[in-house]
């Protein structure tokens, strides 16, 4: 028999059991960061091949924006103020991984002093570089390249975009109705 809210302890245990059986999502949060020349910041992780956007995975019960702020501080020593959400991308299961929700936030433009001081702060990053936006796609995997392209479009339009596995639906493009 299902408990009722009249018995708070039993009701809480009933809800907790339902919560325990619900699907869990992996969550990642990355940043679009520019320098004054308009180049974008890319990072080269030590734990996987190629270049990526700065950011990382959220910990259990951590909000995406909090995860990004934490990752930027841990990996780059950067205290970022996030400005707006640019992209949400649902990534289906692939390889050994379950599905994931990936966010990209605008983390602003760094001044020359911030750029000069920027460097990897832990062993997760081998290298960082500000790359001209037209050169960045050649360094990125197709999924990240598509996500970066959408983030730049969303940044310019001032309107976040939803992607499905790195691809946008025509109805989600900024400025369309």
């Amino acid at each position: 028999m299902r408990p009722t809210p009249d018995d708070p302890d039993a009701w809480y245990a009933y809800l907790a059991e339902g919560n325990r059986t619900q699907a869990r999502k992996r969550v990642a949060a990355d940043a679009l960061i520019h320098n004054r020349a308009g180049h974008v910041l890319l990072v080269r992780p030590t734990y996987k091949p190629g270049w990526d956007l700065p950011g990382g995975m959220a910990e259990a019960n951590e909000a995406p924006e909090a995860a990004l702020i934490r990752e930027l501080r841990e990996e780059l020593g950067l205290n970022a103020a996030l400005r707006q959400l640019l992209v949400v991308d649902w990534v289906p299961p692939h390889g050994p991984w379950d599905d994931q929700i990936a966010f990209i936030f605008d983390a602003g433009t760094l001044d020359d002093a911030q750029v000069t001081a920027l460097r990897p702060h832990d062993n997760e990053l081998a290298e960082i570089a500000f790359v001209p936006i037209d050169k960045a796609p050649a360094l990125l995997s197709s999924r990240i390249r598509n996500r970066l392209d959408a983030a730049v479009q969303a940044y310019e339009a001032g309107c976040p975009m939803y992607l499905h596995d790195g691809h946008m639906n025509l109805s989600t493009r900024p400025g369309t109705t």
Side-chain angles (χ1 to χ4, degrees), residues 11-174:
W11 182 248
Y12 182 83
Y14 169 74
L15 294 177
E17 179 60 23
N19 181 63
R20 188 186 65 75
T21 62
Q22 294 292 314
R24 299 285 190 249
K25 301 285 185 198
R26 291 180 314 120
V27 173
D30 293 333
L32 180 64
I33 300 173
H34 293 95
N35 65 10
R36 290 196 187 271
H39 300 165
V40 296
L41 178 62
L42 298 182
V43 298
R44 192 169 59 83
T46 58
Y47 54 87
K48 64 181 181 179
W51 290 82
D52 205 344
L53 293 169
M57 300 300 292
E59 296 175 355
N61 300 314
E62 183 178 36
E65 68 278 12
L68 179 56
I69 289 168
R70 176 185 50 76
E71 288 283 347
L72 293 174
R73 188 177 307 115
E74 288 174 359
E75 294 181 356
L76 296 168
L78 182 62
N79 291 315
L82 306 183
R83 284 149 179 74
Q84 67 175 335
L85 173 66
L86 298 173
V87 171
V88 176
D89 185 11
W90 179 77
V91 181
H94 56 285
W97 303 108
D98 290 334
D99 68 335
Q100 170 185 356
I101 299 174
F103 296 83
I104 297 180
F105 293 91
D106 172 18
T109 300
L110 302 184
D111 63 33
D112 295 339
Q114 290 171 304
V115 169
T116 300
L118 205 59
R119 61 176 177 74
H121 272 65
D122 66 16
N123 62 359
E124 290 188 24
L125 297 182
E127 189 177 358
I128 64 172
F130 279 93
V131 178
I133 193 67
D134 61 330
K135 305 285 188 226
L139 300 172
L140 301 170
S141 70
S142 62
R143 182 176 285 129
I144 302 301
R145 181 173 46 247
N146 291 344
R147 215 175 278 156
L148 173 61
D149 181 54
V152 170
Q153 289 180 48
Y155 176 82
E156 291 171 352
C159 178
M161 297 179 72
Y162 172 75
L163 304 179
H164 180 108
D165 197 19
H167 300 283
M168 68 179 105
N169 179 310
L170 289 177
S171 65
T172 64
R173 291 182 192 211

